[in-house]
Amino acid sequence: DVKVTQSSRYLVKRTGEKVFLECVQDMDHENMFWYRQDPGLGLRLIYFSYDVKMKEKGDIPEGYSVSREKKERFSLILESASTNQTSMYLCASSGTSRGYTFGSGTRLTVV
Amino acid sequence: AQSVSQHNHHVILSEAASLELGCNYSYGGTVNLFWYVQYPGQHLQLLLKYFSGDPLVKGIKGFEAEFIKSKFSFNLRKPSVQWSDTAEYFCAVNAQGVQNTGFQKLVFGTGTRLLVSP
């Protein structure tokens, strides 16, 4: 089975901190994604990457950046965390089969 | 921009009742359609997907969905729900992403919370 691993299940950070969320997949997938999930809003795409060192903005990229130095790893960076970035963050990957596999999520609280 | 609408935000059913969750999308081209489920405290799991062929798709746990192209719909159904079906359900559609790459990103609806009472 494809496995998508997010390094932290829960995180608590202070306002203004720089935050790194890590995601690793083990199936050599080309495409990786970062979503945030909020009640009543569903999943919203923050950034995605279709190749190493390639990245594209999703629907809500403001306040975030990403890094993909290796194919298996896709990092989401909150440059200066704010309370409105408190959310569940989901990483996903997909290959040519067009199916998506999600990680178990990181629940980030910014205080 | 592509979008997905899920009309029911909260649904409450008794066990053995039939379920239908609505999903409509706005995209004029060829689509791939998905239903995902998120059980309490768990990660998103794929219930079923439609890429082409028979518009009636069967998924896991007795769920099925019907793609009706003329209505831009992909409604999820289950004839008889169980308490264990309590979860949040998300409809999603592939949307064209970066030009010329053929790459497609997944756009989600806002989700439907289903509560099944025993």
Side-chain angles (χ1 to χ4, degrees), chain B residues 18-96:
Chain B
S18 64
L19 170 72
E20 181 159 4
L21 301 182
C23 173
N24 287 90
Y25 63 92
S26 66
Y27 184 66
T30 302
V31 292
N32 301 316
L33 297 154
F34 305 80
W35 275 98
Y36 282 86
V37 61
Q38 189 173 35
Y39 298 102
Q42 296 189 25
H43 62 275
L44 277 168
Q45 301 172 41
L46 182 66
L47 261 184
L48 48 78
K49 59 189 177 185
Y50 171 80
F51 288 167
S52 63
D54 188 346
L56 184 62
V57 179
K58 295 198 182 297
I60 61 172
K61 304 187 181 187
F63 286 91
E64 65 178 31
E66 185 175 13
F67 170 51
I68 303 179
K69 189 175 182 179
S70 60
K71 294 185 178 180
F72 298 90
S73 70
F74 190 56
N75 292 354
L76 181 71
R77 300 194 292 248
K78 186 170 184 179
S80 175
V81 294
Q82 301 172 311
W83 175 79
S84 58
D85 293 324
T86 293
E88 190 160 16
Y89 294 81
F90 294 92
C91 181
V93 61
N94 266 138
Q96 284 297 326

Side-chain angles (χ1 to χ4, degrees), chain A residues 26-65:
Chain A
D26 65 359
M27 278 300 289
D28 203 36
H29 280 173
E30 296 82 12
N31 311 314
M32 296 188 75
F33 310 81
W34 276 105
Y35 288 87
R36 64 177 282 178
Q37 182 181 7
D38 300 288
L41 297 177
L43 279 75
R44 294 178 292 167
L45 183 63
I46 304 171
Y47 266 96
F48 60 99
S49 168
Y50 54 92
D51 202 351
V52 175
K53 297 191 186 293
M54 305 301 288
K55 59 186 178 184
E56 290 291 330
K57 292 180 180 179
D59 300 318
I60 52 164
E62 296 77 19
Y64 303 94
S65 62

